[in-house]
Amino acid sequence: MAALYVVATPIGNLQDFSPRAAETMKKAGLIIAEDTRVTMKLCQVFGFRAPLVSCHRHNEDSKAESLAEKILAEDLDAALVTDAGTPCISDPGNEVVRACIGKGIPVIPVPGCCAGIAALSVSGTDAREFAFYGFLPREKKALREKLREIAGGIPVAVLHESPFRITELTEMIVEVLPEAGMTVCCDLTKLHEKTLYGRPEMVLSALKANDKTEKGEYCVVLDLHGVSRPEPPKEERELSVEARLIEEMKQGRTLREAQERLTEAGEKKNAVKQAAILLKNLFSEQ
């Protein structure tokens, strides 16, 4: 009978690949992979010979239904995998799972590695309740607002971050949640695995002191027990974008310079541009 197996793969150390996961992929008639180039390496190591088909964030909406139809029509045991870890957890795959459920195809988990759970397990945090957020917004204002939102929710948060933005993320945590506890894991299960613990300012210092910070992948656990949700700065609560532009101009800056200041502070470019146009129109009417 056709089935879809959701198979967790190693996040670094190949010895973490379970015998059941290996056996499932060996027997599969089709392997649905996030990136076939990455999964091909796993196939070469373990001797998997099933055909590979790609299914990632940019194409799964259009491919999920046809993949489910193929599994059903050809009575296949298919294995769904991502580049590392558990599919559908901050990784693609949920559309394929949903399509298979909709066609009555059994969907069977083959559990294993998950970076967020691994980081949580070494954090020393009371994790009877936790929230997983994956990657947070890149834009500063949106990131600041998201961290405030997180602080108002379940007091343990699990995040993912790239090596190129981990320092910026930690700087924002220092600003918004300075009393939080942090566990920052880099390259979990790999040869140069490293975990940092402490308040955000301590972690930030350690990141800045390490000339290899921009290597590896990061998973962060925030312990927010006892940390109250921070209020936005007064100017953010009370001043419109137009008013903030005027405040900057009162300091002797041109309108263009004021726009640049707000954009650098994290305000959305379109909002700043529209506010500047409004001010120009008002000034021209005087």
Side-chain angles (χ1 to χ4, degrees):
M1 181 181 178
L4 177 69
Y5 292 86
V6 181
V7 183
T9 56
I11 59 176
N13 193 323
L14 290 180
Q15 292 184 33
D16 293 335
F17 201 38
S18 75
R20 182 187 172 206
E23 186 66 17
T24 298
M25 290 189 67
K26 189 172 291 185
K27 291 181 177 179
L30 179 69
I31 297 174
I32 303 169
E34 178 181 5
D35 187 329
T36 55
R37 295 166 299 181
V38 174
T39 302
M40 178 61 74
K41 296 175 184 177
L42 191 72
C43 291
Q44 290 171 344
V45 170
F46 289 94
F48 307 144
R49 303 191 183 281
L52 290 169
V53 60
S54 70
C55 186
H56 47 73
R57 284 286 183 227
H58 304 294
N59 71 5
E60 67 172 325
D61 286 348
S62 60
K63 293 185 74 169
E65 284 294 326
S66 62
L67 285 169
E69 289 169 2
K70 179 179 178 66
I71 291 168
L72 195 59
E74 299 181 22
D75 196 28
L76 294 172
D77 279 349
L80 173 66
V81 298
T82 52
D83 292 349
T86 302
C88 309
I89 309 299
S90 197
D91 271 331
N94 59 289
E95 293 297 336
V96 176
V97 170
R98 185 181 291 116
C100 287
I101 292 170
K103 295 186 183 303
I105 299 169
V107 179
I108 302 164
V110 182
C113 298
C114 178
I117 298 300
L120 202 57
S121 73
V122 299
S123 69
T125 304
D126 182 349
R128 284 174 285 185
E129 287 187 308
F130 67 91
F132 178 75
Y133 293 92
F135 290 91
L136 299 189
R138 297 186 183 188
E139 194 266 326
K140 286 185 178 181
K141 184 179 179 182
L143 175 57
R144 190 179 290 113
E145 290 174 352
K146 188 65 178 180
L147 287 172
R148 291 184 192 125
E149 177 189 321
I150 288 171
I154 294 171
V156 178
V158 182
L159 321 172
H160 285 171
E161 192 51 279
S162 83
F164 305 108
R165 296 195 302 273
I166 186 63
T167 300
E168 288 79 1
L169 171 65
T170 307
E171 286 174 340
M172 189 63 74
I173 294 171
V174 169
E175 176 188 326
V176 179
L177 302 170
E179 298 305 313
M182 287 188 75
T183 301
V184 177
C185 299
C186 178
D187 272 347
L188 283 165
T189 80
K190 297 178 183 176
L191 182 61
H192 299 294
E193 174 181 342
K194 186 177 182 63
T195 300
L196 302 172
Y197 300 94
R199 296 295 183 198
E201 192 170 351
M202 296 168 54
V203 171
L204 180 60
S205 294
L207 290 172
K208 288 184 173 180
N210 183 2
D211 60 3
K212 296 183 179 179
T213 288
E214 290 191 353
K215 293 183 178 180
E217 295 297 327
Y218 286 85
C219 196
V220 178
V221 178
L222 293 179
D223 185 350
L224 302 167
H225 287 96
V227 177
S228 59
R229 182 172 182 170
E231 288 292 328
K234 184 177 180 181
E235 62 271 18
E236 287 189 22
R237 297 198 303 269
E238 297 180 356
L239 297 182
S240 65
V241 179
E242 293 83 1
R244 291 169 63 196
L245 283 172
I246 292 171
E247 288 296 317
E248 292 291 339
M249 292 168 70
K250 284 181 180 179
Q251 305 299 317
R253 296 182 179 91
T254 65
L255 180 57
R256 180 176 294 278
E257 289 170 342
Q259 288 178 253
E260 291 174 353
R261 289 272 296 182
L262 264 61
T263 302
E264 289 171 1
E267 191 62 65
K268 291 182 179 178
K269 288 184 178 180
N270 284 341
V272 174
K273 183 177 179 181
Q274 291 303 316
I277 292 171
L278 178 60
L279 289 181
K280 283 180 182 179
N281 291 338
L282 288 173
F283 293 154
S284 65
E285 292 173 3
Q286 298 299 320

